[in-house]
Amino acid sequence: MPFPSDAVVAALSGLVAAAATVLLTVTARRRTGRCRATHRLLAGAGALALVSLLIGLAAQLGVLGHQRAGSGGHFGWATLVSVGTTLSGLAVCVWLLRLPGAASTVATTVRLALDGLVMASALWFVGWVLFSEPTRLLGSATPVACAPILLATVSTASTAGLALIVTLRATPRRRLAVFGLGTTAVNLGGLGVAAGLCQGGTTLVLASAALLAVGLLVAALVMSGQAPPGQVEIDLIQRDGEYAIAPMLAMATSAMYHLSQDGRFDAWGIVAGSVEGFALVARQHLTLRDLRGYAGRLAEREAHFRELAHTDPLTGLANRRGLLGQLHGWAGQGRPHVLLGLDLDGFKIVNDMRGHDVGDAVLAEVGRRLRDNLRPGDVAARLGGDEFAVLIDGGAVEADRVAQRLLEVLGQPYDQPDGPVFLSVSIGVAEPSGQPDVQLLLRHADLALRYAKQRGKNRIEQYDSAYDQLLRRRTTVEHELRGAIERDELRLAFQPVASLPSVRPVGAEALLRWHHPELGNVRPDEFIPLAEECGMIAKLGAWVLHQACHQLSRWLADGHDVWVSVNVSPRELHAPEYVVQVAEALRAHRVPPQRLVLEVTEHAVATDLDELIRRLTALRRTGVRIALDDFGAGYSSLGQLRRLPIDILKIDHSLVAEHEPVRPADREGPPFAPMVDIVMRLGHQLGLEVIAEGVTNPTELAAVVAAGCRFGQGALFGWGVPAEHLEAMLEAATSPGMRRAPAQRAVDTRPEQEEHAGGGAPEQATPESVNQHVGAVDSAREMRQA
């Protein structure tokens, strides 16, 4: 019969183990998601440990047999206890491998398992040295080797090794360290119970049972916390593999000690050493493979970032750095190449009027068109803003063909949700000369591009050495232009507008002129584009507006029936403060608003029609009249013309001089200009007045008069002249008896104007009637609105 104390110890151990198992089960039921499954696994491990404990205690106390396992032990029950403890330890190992960070990938799980195996092999080998001949750490109490003990030792070493590795890698470590001690105690307890059953040691069985129960309770208490116990972190670069040093040192030291004590290595020792070696080799092989994969990913990312560093993110083309790399490479190889510099004409206005989203969409479309229209081997790049470059693989002939194709393709409309965008492109072409010099080639292409824009844009220009002088002049002109107003170097010239057929001057267009003391007379087509590029155009426009209004007020005060027109750049037109500037200029110089005409080019229509209509409508509310300049040479369509709030059409010279005058087929009459006739009819249908520009000879004059055009402008009537010269022309055209006093300007001439707007020119217009009509810039539509 067992001693009462043995039964008490056995009962307490069983109760504690049972309570711990119940606590693990309750904890598992409180968890949700993946945590519930893992805690169920722990609850199962606790149940297996509890069953093993109960079997061992029952066998030791003789409950399971007629004879108490004391002297000879009970091998079968010991085997069951060992198997149960092993399964419990295996479940704990699986739970450890399923911690966050440990089971992120299969490779991570295998790597962690191999680390645990390395540590377990070292622990088992050290234990084997200490408890085998000749050391026999427990002396005569050392258990004799048997299969249940061997199985339990392997399970204990595996659980302890993996728990140690996971604890060293986990954050935070404290709870996992306590849990690892608890599970190790459970396995040691199971090992002790199995060893006691095999050797017949009651004290060993009971002590081991108590250890198992306490260890199970500790593990259950740790798992009952609110938060998960921790997360495993594996660092492939710095700390992945340093844990193999201690196990190897431990095995080497124990092996040297064993040999020094005349010990012998049997099969189990050799197996333990072999497992350690194979685990280390497999672990390092896996690490090497991971490092190779990591290095490959780094190389891919490096290549990706290198590509990003040489690629424009908006268009997908090469950027400036990528283009320079290609240029240096081709120059070093002696490969023939030509560089094209491209710049979109008018793109800044698109950004200002339509917004940067539309501008970015246009730039992306430019990139697509470049890719689709280049040959294999050619390189397209975006250098910044609306500036692009194309590196041509070949010589000048290939470059010329590519440039011509790009000029056509990039000049086509860019469809956008709120209406098409019309742009053109200027192209500069440069070839390497002499020794390969990448920076010099870029500079030459840029110079050719600037020259193309200076010569009217939408064209191709080959680099010439004379461009260096042009660039120096351009720089000088831009610098001197900034102080031209303050130095009183600017003047206005006035080109007369004549009534037809009397050719009397009735109006004038204000033209800006610049005379520099050193540069001489600088042409407007040279300094006006510069003013737009450097931001001076608003300042110049304000000066021209005030000077024109001042001169107009003087002419009106002298009794001249005349109007003055002022050209407005798109940048000025779309400035929010421009309407206020016009109103202030009219008020400051006391000019009747209808005497001032603002001329807008057709290029402004190509940017944003809706915004243009809003701006022009705001200007017309001040009372001024709006003229669409150069009609027939730009982008405006008939549909747009119907929507534009304008008063006057100025027919471009190309329409006036494009065809020879023809004679009417079904009636008698003088020859007329077909295109002018069409525009005249269109203008009358829309209630607009029409002015023919660029009339240079009597033949063209006769043709536009025959077409019904009542106003003309051009060399035939006079070039731009100083204000006093035009005043003399006005004096000569109007006798003192015919000139009206300033107070008589409001005379109503509506019947005569409506007659003129009917389509045919009057047989004879008196000077007074003509001047009254044109001076007010009133068409029939305007008179109906009055």
Side-chain angles (χ1 to χ4, degrees):
M1 294 294 294
F3 296 105
S5 59
D6 293 348
V8 171
V9 173
L12 289 176
S13 298
L15 289 175
V16 171
T21 304
V22 171
L23 181 58
L24 285 173
T25 304
V26 172
T27 302
R29 297 188 65 177
R30 288 204 312 262
R31 302 297 182 185
T32 58
R34 182 180 176 185
C35 289
R36 172 176 289 185
T38 56
H39 280 77
R40 283 178 177 176
L41 187 63
L42 280 182
L48 287 172
L50 175 62
V51 170
S52 300
L53 173 64
L54 294 178
I55 290 174
L57 290 175
Q60 181 64 33
L61 297 176
V63 176
L64 299 178
H66 298 288
Q67 182 181 0
R68 180 182 172 203
S71 58
H74 204 302
F75 182 82
W77 299 122
T79 301
L80 287 178
V81 171
S82 179
V83 170
T85 303
T86 300
L87 293 177
S88 175
L90 180 62
V92 171
C93 291
V94 173
W95 180 85
L96 289 171
L97 293 175
R98 296 184 66 181
L99 284 175
S104 57
T105 63
V106 175
T108 303
T109 305
V110 172
R111 186 164 51 247
L112 198 61
L114 288 174
D115 284 341
L117 184 59
V118 169
M119 191 66 70
S121 299
L123 291 174
W124 193 94
F125 186 84
V126 172
W128 176 80
V129 169
L130 293 178
F131 291 99
S132 64
E133 294 289 348
T135 303
R136 293 183 64 84
L137 184 64
L138 299 180
S140 60
T142 302
V144 178
C146 64
I149 294 177
L150 179 63
L151 183 61
T153 56
V154 171
S155 172
T156 302
S158 299
T159 304
L162 185 59
L164 180 59
I165 286 295
V166 171
T167 300
L168 291 174
R169 291 181 179 274
T171 54
R173 293 181 177 177
R174 180 175 299 178
R175 294 184 64 195
L176 272 178
V178 176
F179 176 79
L181 289 175
T183 55
T184 301
V186 171
N187 279 271
L188 283 174
L191 171 61
V193 171
L197 290 176
C198 284
Q199 306 301 324
T202 303
T203 303
L204 180 59
V205 170
L206 294 177
S208 299
L211 178 63
L212 187 152
V214 171
L216 191 58
L217 180 62
V218 169
L221 291 174
V222 171
M223 290 298 103
S224 64
Q226 295 295 325
Q231 178 169 343
V232 179
E233 294 182 354
I234 296 180
D235 190 344
L236 291 176
I237 303 301
Q238 297 180 356
R239 303 179 57 188
D240 189 58
E242 67 179 8
Y243 306 114
I245 298 177
M248 286 299 298
L249 287 176
M251 290 189 69
T253 303
S254 60
M256 294 294 293
Y257 168 77
H258 188 67
L259 290 175
S260 66
Q261 298 297 320
D262 295 329
R264 297 290 183 268
F265 289 102
D266 58 12
W268 297 112
I270 295 173
V271 168
S274 300
V275 169
E276 177 79 4
F278 281 117
L280 283 174
V281 171
R283 179 65 178 81
Q284 296 308 313
H285 173 74
L286 186 60
T287 301
L288 180 61
R289 192 188 68 174
D290 290 340
L291 287 176
R292 286 175 177 172
Y294 183 74
R297 290 192 297 272
L298 282 180
E300 291 177 359
R301 291 179 181 178
E302 181 182 1
H304 175 66
F305 287 126
R306 186 182 297 112
E307 181 180 357
L308 289 179
H310 292 80
T311 304
D312 175 62
L314 178 61
T315 62
L317 305 177
N319 58 15
R320 183 179 293 273
R321 183 179 301 174
L323 178 67
L324 287 175
Q326 292 287 344
L327 280 172
H328 283 291
W330 289 18
Q333 300 170 7
R335 187 172 176 178
H337 57 278
V338 179
L339 183 63
L340 307 183
L342 299 89
D343 189 87
L344 301 178
D345 304 325
F347 180 76
K348 293 181 180 179
I349 302 176
V350 175
N351 267 342
D352 294 342
M353 297 175 54
R354 305 281 286 270
H356 289 277
D357 291 342
V358 174
D360 289 347
V362 171
L363 291 177
E365 175 64 16
V366 170
R368 187 192 66 79
R369 294 184 186 183
L370 286 175
R371 283 191 299 270
D372 293 345
N373 290 276
L374 292 180
R375 305 168 306 157
D378 295 340
V379 178
R382 180 189 175 208
L383 305 183
D386 60 336
E387 186 177 356
F388 294 81
V390 175
L391 183 58
I392 302 298
D393 184 11
V397 177
E398 294 85 353
D400 182 66
R401 286 199 295 264
V402 172
Q404 292 290 345
R405 183 166 64 251
L406 295 181
L407 188 70
E408 177 184 356
V409 169
L410 299 182
Q412 296 175 0
Y414 296 83
D415 293 329
Q416 296 299 316
D418 53 349
V421 173
F422 297 91
L423 294 173
S424 60
V425 64
S426 299
I427 302 178
V429 183
E431 298 181 63
S433 58
Q435 295 295 326
D437 189 334
V438 170
Q439 296 299 330
L440 184 62
L441 182 62
L442 284 170
R443 182 174 179 272
H444 288 174
D446 186 61
L447 286 175
L449 174 59
R450 292 188 184 185
Y451 190 62
K453 296 183 78 68
Q454 286 182 7
R455 295 195 62 187
K457 306 178 181 179
N458 192 28
R459 60 187 299 121
I460 303 170
E461 289 293 338
Q462 298 279 342
Y463 169 76
D464 189 276
S465 58
Y467 293 171
D468 290 318
Q469 298 178 358
L470 294 175
L471 177 61
R472 285 193 291 270
R473 176 175 174 84
R474 174 190 177 90
T475 305
T476 302
V477 168
E478 180 179 343
H479 179 269
E480 296 298 320
L481 180 61
R482 297 185 181 277
I485 295 178
E486 290 75 9
R487 296 190 301 269
D488 196 26
E489 297 173 357
L490 300 180
R491 295 289 184 272
L492 286 186
F494 296 89
Q495 185 176 24
V497 177
S499 65
L500 303 179
S502 65
V503 299
R504 298 179 180 223
V506 292
E509 179 179 355
L511 305 174
L512 183 59
R513 297 292 183 259
W514 179 22
H515 180 79
H516 189 271
E518 296 180 1
L519 299 176
N521 292 323
V522 184
R523 294 172 54 87
D525 57 0
E526 180 180 5
F527 70 83
I528 293 297
L530 273 178
E532 292 179 346
E533 293 180 16
C534 69
M536 280 283 295
I537 191 64
K539 183 178 180 181
L540 292 181
W543 185 88
V544 170
L545 178 63
H546 279 275
Q547 292 295 318
C549 289
H550 173 70
Q551 185 59 57
L552 177 59
S553 67
R554 293 185 58 182
W555 285 336
L556 293 176
D558 291 341
H560 296 293
D561 196 1
V562 69
W563 88 87
V564 170
S565 63
V566 174
N567 291 284
V568 183
S569 71
R571 188 176 296 273
E572 289 180 277
L573 183 63
H574 295 287
E577 64 276 7
Y578 187 70
V579 176
V580 177
Q581 291 178 1
V582 172
E584 290 179 351
L586 293 172
R587 183 171 56 254
H589 300 284
R590 299 181 180 181
V591 172
Q594 70 272 16
R595 298 286 180 166
L596 178 65
V597 178
L598 300 180
E599 296 191 12
V600 181
T601 62
E602 274 197 299
H603 183 70
V605 181
T607 52
D608 189 336
L609 183 61
D610 293 334
E611 179 66 17
L612 179 65
I613 291 174
R614 286 192 291 271
R615 298 293 185 182
L616 295 181
T617 302
L619 284 171
R620 292 189 81 210
R621 291 196 186 104
T622 65
V624 301
R625 298 297 183 253
I626 307 298
L628 183 61
D629 197 12
D630 300 330
F631 179 75
Y635 305 95
S636 59
S637 65
L638 296 181
Q640 293 171 334
L641 195 60
R642 295 179 64 90
R643 295 179 57 193
L644 287 174
I646 61 175
D647 307 280
I648 303 171
L649 277 182
K650 299 189 73 174
I651 307 176
D652 186 74
H653 172 68
S654 60
L655 299 185
V656 175
E658 182 178 9
H659 301 287
E660 290 293 332
V662 299
R663 294 188 176 275
D666 55 348
R667 60 182 174 86
E668 294 293 332
F672 63 94
M675 295 304 298
V676 176
D677 182 73
I678 294 173
V679 175
M680 281 298 305
R681 295 176 183 275
L682 174 64
H684 289 162
Q685 288 293 327
L686 298 177
L688 304 176
E689 192 57 81
V690 181
I691 301 176
E693 290 187 290
V695 180
T696 59
N697 55 63
T699 302
E700 294 176 351
L701 173 61
V704 297
V705 169
C709 187
R710 298 187 300 125
F711 302 103
Q713 184 179 356
L716 187 62
F717 313 117
W719 297 103
V721 295
E724 55 270 20
H725 291 187
L726 183 63
E727 186 172 356
M729 296 171 63
L730 293 172
E731 293 281 356
T734 308
S735 64
M738 297 295 294
R739 188 190 308 170
R740 294 178 299 140
Q744 296 177 335
R745 292 178 191 142
V747 175
D748 188 2
T749 59
R750 185 178 309 176
E752 183 180 357
Q753 291 162 0
E754 292 179 345
E755 178 186 3
H756 289 181
E763 294 182 2
Q764 185 173 0
T766 65
E768 181 178 0
S769 67
V770 172
N771 285 0
Q772 287 173 355
H773 176 78
V774 181
V777 200
D778 285 331
S779 65
R781 177 185 61 180
E782 294 157 4
M783 294 306 300
R784 286 191 295 270
Q785 293 173 347

mmCIF file of all heavy atoms in Angstrom, residues 35-67:
data_model
loop_
_atom_site.group_PDB
_atom_site.id
_atom_site.type_symbol
_atom_site.label_atom_id
_atom_site.label_comp_id
_atom_site.label_asym_id
_atom_site.label_seq_id
_atom_site.Cartn_x
_atom_site.Cartn_y
_atom_site.Cartn_z
ATOM 1 N N CYS A 35 -6.005 33.571 -32.554
ATOM 2 C CA CYS A 35 -5.549 33.335 -31.183
ATOM 3 C C CYS A 35 -6.302 32.175 -30.546
ATOM 4 O O CYS A 35 -5.732 31.400 -29.763
ATOM 5 C CB CYS A 35 -5.726 34.601 -30.350
ATOM 6 S SG CYS A 35 -4.592 35.928 -30.771
ATOM 7 N N ARG A 36 -7.600 32.044 -30.883
ATOM 8 C CA ARG A 36 -8.362 30.944 -30.297
ATOM 9 C C ARG A 36 -7.791 29.606 -30.733
ATOM 10 O O ARG A 36 -7.645 28.683 -29.906
ATOM 11 C CB ARG A 36 -9.826 31.065 -30.703
ATOM 12 C CG ARG A 36 -10.666 29.861 -30.312
ATOM 13 C CD ARG A 36 -12.128 30.049 -30.633
ATOM 14 N NE ARG A 36 -12.734 31.036 -29.747
ATOM 15 C CZ ARG A 36 -14.040 31.323 -29.753
ATOM 16 N NH1 ARG A 36 -14.850 30.720 -30.630
ATOM 17 N NH2 ARG A 36 -14.534 32.225 -28.926
ATOM 18 N N ALA A 37 -7.450 29.454 -32.001
ATOM 19 C CA ALA A 37 -6.910 28.177 -32.484
ATOM 20 C C ALA A 37 -5.588 27.842 -31.806
ATOM 21 O O ALA A 37 -5.349 26.698 -31.398
ATOM 22 C CB ALA A 37 -6.734 28.239 -33.997
ATOM 23 N N THR A 38 -4.703 28.834 -31.674
ATOM 24 C CA THR A 38 -3.402 28.566 -31.041
ATOM 25 C C THR A 38 -3.558 28.247 -29.557
ATOM 26 O O THR A 38 -2.862 27.375 -29.024
ATOM 27 C CB THR A 38 -2.483 29.775 -31.221
ATOM 28 O OG1 THR A 38 -3.114 30.945 -30.686
ATOM 29 C CG2 THR A 38 -2.180 30.016 -32.694
ATOM 30 N N HIS A 39 -4.487 28.918 -28.868
ATOM 31 C CA HIS A 39 -4.673 28.621 -27.451
ATOM 32 C C HIS A 39 -5.386 27.287 -27.244
ATOM 33 O O HIS A 39 -5.189 26.634 -26.209
ATOM 34 C CB HIS A 39 -5.445 29.759 -26.785
ATOM 35 C CG HIS A 39 -4.578 30.938 -26.462
ATOM 36 N ND1 HIS A 39 -4.168 31.833 -27.416
ATOM 37 C CD2 HIS A 39 -4.014 31.348 -25.286
ATOM 38 C CE1 HIS A 39 -3.409 32.764 -26.862
ATOM 39 N NE2 HIS A 39 -3.299 32.493 -25.564
ATOM 40 N N ARG A 40 -6.189 26.908 -28.202
ATOM 41 C CA ARG A 40 -6.746 25.547 -28.131
ATOM 42 C C ARG A 40 -5.632 24.509 -28.216
ATOM 43 O O ARG A 40 -5.691 23.459 -27.557
ATOM 44 C CB ARG A 40 -7.759 25.336 -29.247
ATOM 45 C CG ARG A 40 -9.113 25.990 -28.987
ATOM 46 C CD ARG A 40 -10.041 25.777 -30.181
ATOM 47 N NE ARG A 40 -11.369 26.335 -29.911
ATOM 48 C CZ ARG A 40 -12.345 26.366 -30.801
ATOM 49 N NH1 ARG A 40 -12.152 25.872 -32.022
ATOM 50 N NH2 ARG A 40 -13.518 26.884 -30.479
ATOM 51 N N LEU A 41 -4.635 24.813 -29.027
ATOM 52 C CA LEU A 41 -3.492 23.909 -29.127
ATOM 53 C C LEU A 41 -2.786 23.793 -27.783
ATOM 54 O O LEU A 41 -2.392 22.698 -27.356
ATOM 55 C CB LEU A 41 -2.533 24.418 -30.203
ATOM 56 C CG LEU A 41 -1.344 23.514 -30.562
ATOM 57 C CD1 LEU A 41 -1.840 22.193 -31.139
ATOM 58 C CD2 LEU A 41 -0.457 24.221 -31.580
ATOM 59 N N LEU A 42 -2.626 24.908 -27.095
ATOM 60 C CA LEU A 42 -2.001 24.876 -25.770
ATOM 61 C C LEU A 42 -2.870 24.122 -24.766
ATOM 62 O O LEU A 42 -2.355 23.390 -23.902
ATOM 63 C CB LEU A 42 -1.761 26.301 -25.282
ATOM 64 C CG LEU A 42 -0.530 27.012 -25.828
ATOM 65 C CD1 LEU A 42 -0.402 28.384 -25.204
ATOM 66 C CD2 LEU A 42 0.721 26.205 -25.552
ATOM 67 N N ALA A 43 -4.186 24.343 -24.875
ATOM 68 C CA ALA A 43 -5.078 23.608 -23.981
ATOM 69 C C ALA A 43 -4.958 22.108 -24.225
ATOM 70 O O ALA A 43 -4.956 21.301 -23.269
ATOM 71 C CB ALA A 43 -6.519 24.074 -24.182
ATOM 72 N N GLY A 44 -4.833 21.718 -25.496
ATOM 73 C CA GLY A 44 -4.626 20.302 -25.800
ATOM 74 C C GLY A 44 -3.314 19.786 -25.243
ATOM 75 O O GLY A 44 -3.237 18.654 -24.726
ATOM 76 N N ALA A 45 -2.245 20.611 -25.345
ATOM 77 C CA ALA A 45 -0.958 20.213 -24.774
ATOM 78 C C ALA A 45 -1.065 20.036 -23.263
ATOM 79 O O ALA A 45 -0.504 19.086 -22.676
ATOM 80 C CB ALA A 45 0.103 21.260 -25.112
ATOM 81 N N GLY A 46 -1.800 20.944 -22.589
ATOM 82 C CA GLY A 46 -1.995 20.810 -21.148
ATOM 83 C C GLY A 46 -2.769 19.554 -20.803
ATOM 84 O O GLY A 46 -2.466 18.870 -19.804
ATOM 85 N N ALA A 47 -3.789 19.242 -21.613
ATOM 86 C CA ALA A 47 -4.571 18.030 -21.358
ATOM 87 C C ALA A 47 -3.708 16.787 -21.502
ATOM 88 O O ALA A 47 -3.807 15.836 -20.693
ATOM 89 C CB ALA A 47 -5.761 17.980 -22.310
ATOM 90 N N LEU A 48 -2.853 16.738 -22.513
ATOM 91 C CA LEU A 48 -1.956 15.592 -22.682
ATOM 92 C C LEU A 48 -1.006 15.471 -21.504
ATOM 93 O O LEU A 48 -0.732 14.350 -21.004
ATOM 94 C CB LEU A 48 -1.175 15.747 -23.985
ATOM 95 C CG LEU A 48 -1.938 15.516 -25.281
ATOM 96 C CD1 LEU A 48 -1.070 15.889 -26.491
ATOM 97 C CD2 LEU A 48 -2.371 14.044 -25.395
ATOM 98 N N ALA A 49 -0.471 16.599 -21.047
ATOM 99 C CA ALA A 49 0.426 16.551 -19.884
ATOM 100 C C ALA A 49 -0.315 16.069 -18.645
ATOM 101 O O ALA A 49 0.226 15.288 -17.834
ATOM 102 C CB ALA A 49 1.022 17.936 -19.648
ATOM 103 N N LEU A 50 -1.574 16.535 -18.496
ATOM 104 C CA LEU A 50 -2.371 16.091 -17.352
ATOM 105 C C LEU A 50 -2.627 14.582 -17.409
ATOM 106 O O LEU A 50 -2.492 13.870 -16.387
ATOM 107 C CB LEU A 50 -3.695 16.861 -17.335
ATOM 108 C CG LEU A 50 -4.709 16.445 -16.264
ATOM 109 C CD1 LEU A 50 -4.133 16.670 -14.868
ATOM 110 C CD2 LEU A 50 -6.019 17.220 -16.429
ATOM 111 N N VAL A 51 -3.003 14.075 -18.561
ATOM 112 C CA VAL A 51 -3.256 12.639 -18.711
ATOM 113 C C VAL A 51 -1.987 11.832 -18.420
ATOM 114 O O VAL A 51 -2.013 10.793 -17.726
ATOM 115 C CB VAL A 51 -3.791 12.331 -20.111
ATOM 116 C CG1 VAL A 51 -3.838 10.827 -20.367
ATOM 117 C CG2 VAL A 51 -5.174 12.934 -20.285
ATOM 118 N N SER A 52 -0.856 12.311 -18.928
ATOM 119 C CA SER A 52 0.416 11.621 -18.671
ATOM 120 C C SER A 52 0.713 11.606 -17.180
ATOM 121 O O SER A 52 1.174 10.586 -16.626
ATOM 122 C CB SER A 52 1.548 12.318 -19.425
ATOM 123 O OG SER A 52 1.302 12.315 -20.808
ATOM 124 N N LEU A 53 0.456 12.754 -16.517
ATOM 125 C CA LEU A 53 0.694 12.812 -15.078
ATOM 126 C C LEU A 53 -0.193 11.838 -14.323
ATOM 127 O O LEU A 53 0.272 11.098 -13.433
ATOM 128 C CB LEU A 53 0.445 14.246 -14.598
ATOM 129 C CG LEU A 53 0.492 14.470 -13.069
ATOM 130 C CD1 LEU A 53 1.904 14.188 -12.542
ATOM 131 C CD2 LEU A 53 0.079 15.885 -12.726
ATOM 132 N N LEU A 54 -1.463 11.827 -14.665
ATOM 133 C CA LEU A 54 -2.390 10.937 -13.974
ATOM 134 C C LEU A 54 -2.040 9.474 -14.211
ATOM 135 O O LEU A 54 -2.130 8.639 -13.280
ATOM 136 C CB LEU A 54 -3.818 11.231 -14.450
ATOM 137 C CG LEU A 54 -4.378 12.627 -14.084
ATOM 138 C CD1 LEU A 54 -5.767 12.820 -14.656
ATOM 139 C CD2 LEU A 54 -4.379 12.822 -12.573
ATOM 140 N N ILE A 55 -1.640 9.132 -15.441
ATOM 141 C CA ILE A 55 -1.240 7.747 -15.722
ATOM 142 C C ILE A 55 -0.018 7.382 -14.879
ATOM 143 O O ILE A 55 0.057 6.290 -14.278
ATOM 144 C CB ILE A 55 -0.951 7.558 -17.216
ATOM 145 C CG1 ILE A 55 -2.257 7.648 -18.015
ATOM 146 C CG2 ILE A 55 -0.275 6.210 -17.478
ATOM 147 C CD1 ILE A 55 -2.043 7.611 -19.514
ATOM 148 N N GLY A 56 0.969 8.292 -14.851
ATOM 149 C CA GLY A 56 2.173 7.998 -14.073
ATOM 150 C C GLY A 56 1.878 7.845 -12.593
ATOM 151 O O GLY A 56 2.392 6.925 -11.933
ATOM 152 N N LEU A 57 1.055 8.756 -12.032
ATOM 153 C CA LEU A 57 0.735 8.660 -10.605
ATOM 154 C C LEU A 57 -0.064 7.403 -10.313
ATOM 155 O O LEU A 57 0.160 6.712 -9.297
ATOM 156 C CB LEU A 57 -0.043 9.896 -10.177
ATOM 157 C CG LEU A 57 0.733 11.214 -10.136
ATOM 158 C CD1 LEU A 57 -0.178 12.380 -9.826
ATOM 159 C CD2 LEU A 57 1.879 11.135 -9.125
ATOM 160 N N ALA A 58 -1.027 7.110 -11.176
ATOM 161 C CA ALA A 58 -1.833 5.912 -10.963
ATOM 162 C C ALA A 58 -0.986 4.649 -11.027
ATOM 163 O O ALA A 58 -1.149 3.717 -10.227
ATOM 164 C CB ALA A 58 -2.965 5.863 -11.992
ATOM 165 N N ALA A 59 -0.053 4.605 -12.001
ATOM 166 C CA ALA A 59 0.805 3.436 -12.108
ATOM 167 C C ALA A 59 1.710 3.325 -10.894
ATOM 168 O O ALA A 59 1.949 2.218 -10.376
ATOM 169 C CB ALA A 59 1.636 3.517 -13.385
ATOM 170 N N GLN A 60 2.236 4.465 -10.419
ATOM 171 C CA GLN A 60 3.145 4.430 -9.280
ATOM 172 C C GLN A 60 2.423 4.039 -8.002
ATOM 173 O O GLN A 60 2.965 3.325 -7.153
ATOM 174 C CB GLN A 60 3.789 5.809 -9.100
ATOM 175 C CG GLN A 60 4.779 5.879 -7.951
ATOM 176 C CD GLN A 60 5.985 4.983 -8.168
ATOM 177 O OE1 GLN A 60 6.423 4.776 -9.301
ATOM 178 N NE2 GLN A 60 6.518 4.395 -7.087
ATOM 179 N N LEU A 61 1.180 4.468 -7.842
ATOM 180 C CA LEU A 61 0.426 4.167 -6.628
ATOM 181 C C LEU A 61 -0.268 2.818 -6.703
ATOM 182 O O LEU A 61 -0.985 2.424 -5.756
ATOM 183 C CB LEU A 61 -0.607 5.262 -6.370
ATOM 184 C CG LEU A 61 -0.029 6.660 -6.104
ATOM 185 C CD1 LEU A 61 -1.142 7.687 -5.953
ATOM 186 C CD2 LEU A 61 0.862 6.641 -4.863
ATOM 187 N N GLY A 62 -0.141 2.094 -7.799
ATOM 188 C CA GLY A 62 -0.718 0.770 -7.926
ATOM 189 C C GLY A 62 -2.170 0.767 -8.291
ATOM 190 O O GLY A 62 -2.829 -0.274 -8.205
ATOM 191 N N VAL A 63 -2.710 1.897 -8.717
ATOM 192 C CA VAL A 63 -4.122 1.946 -9.060
ATOM 193 C C VAL A 63 -4.396 1.179 -10.349
ATOM 194 O O VAL A 63 -5.454 0.582 -10.525
ATOM 195 C CB VAL A 63 -4.584 3.404 -9.197
ATOM 196 C CG1 VAL A 63 -6.036 3.478 -9.659
ATOM 197 C CG2 VAL A 63 -4.404 4.125 -7.872
ATOM 198 N N LEU A 64 -3.418 1.165 -11.250
ATOM 199 C CA LEU A 64 -3.621 0.542 -12.560
ATOM 200 C C LEU A 64 -3.194 -0.924 -12.581
ATOM 201 O O LEU A 64 -3.277 -1.569 -13.621
ATOM 202 C CB LEU A 64 -2.842 1.300 -13.637
ATOM 203 C CG LEU A 64 -3.247 2.758 -13.825
ATOM 204 C CD1 LEU A 64 -2.369 3.410 -14.872
ATOM 205 C CD2 LEU A 64 -4.715 2.860 -14.217
ATOM 206 N N GLY A 65 -2.701 -1.458 -11.464
ATOM 207 C CA GLY A 65 -2.279 -2.868 -11.446
ATOM 208 C C GLY A 65 -2.336 -3.429 -10.036
ATOM 209 O O GLY A 65 -2.510 -2.703 -9.048
ATOM 210 N N HIS A 66 -2.185 -4.772 -9.933
ATOM 211 C CA HIS A 66 -2.244 -5.426 -8.622
ATOM 212 C C HIS A 66 -0.963 -5.230 -7.857
ATOM 213 O O HIS A 66 -0.942 -5.394 -6.653
ATOM 214 C CB HIS A 66 -2.513 -6.932 -8.796
ATOM 215 C CG HIS A 66 -3.837 -7.192 -9.462
ATOM 216 N ND1 HIS A 66 -5.060 -6.991 -8.822
ATOM 217 C CD2 HIS A 66 -4.144 -7.640 -10.720
ATOM 218 C CE1 HIS A 66 -6.052 -7.320 -9.640
ATOM 219 N NE2 HIS A 66 -5.517 -7.725 -10.804
ATOM 220 N N GLN A 67 0.114 -4.893 -8.575
ATOM 221 C CA GLN A 67 1.414 -4.755 -7.917
ATOM 222 C C GLN A 67 1.919 -3.349 -8.109
ATOM 223 O O GLN A 67 1.895 -2.802 -9.192
ATOM 224 C CB GLN A 67 2.424 -5.754 -8.492
ATOM 225 C CG GLN A 67 3.781 -5.684 -7.789
ATOM 226 C CD GLN A 67 4.759 -6.662 -8.386
ATOM 227 O OE1 GLN A 67 4.434 -7.387 -9.319
ATOM 228 N NE2 GLN A 67 5.970 -6.699 -7.833
#
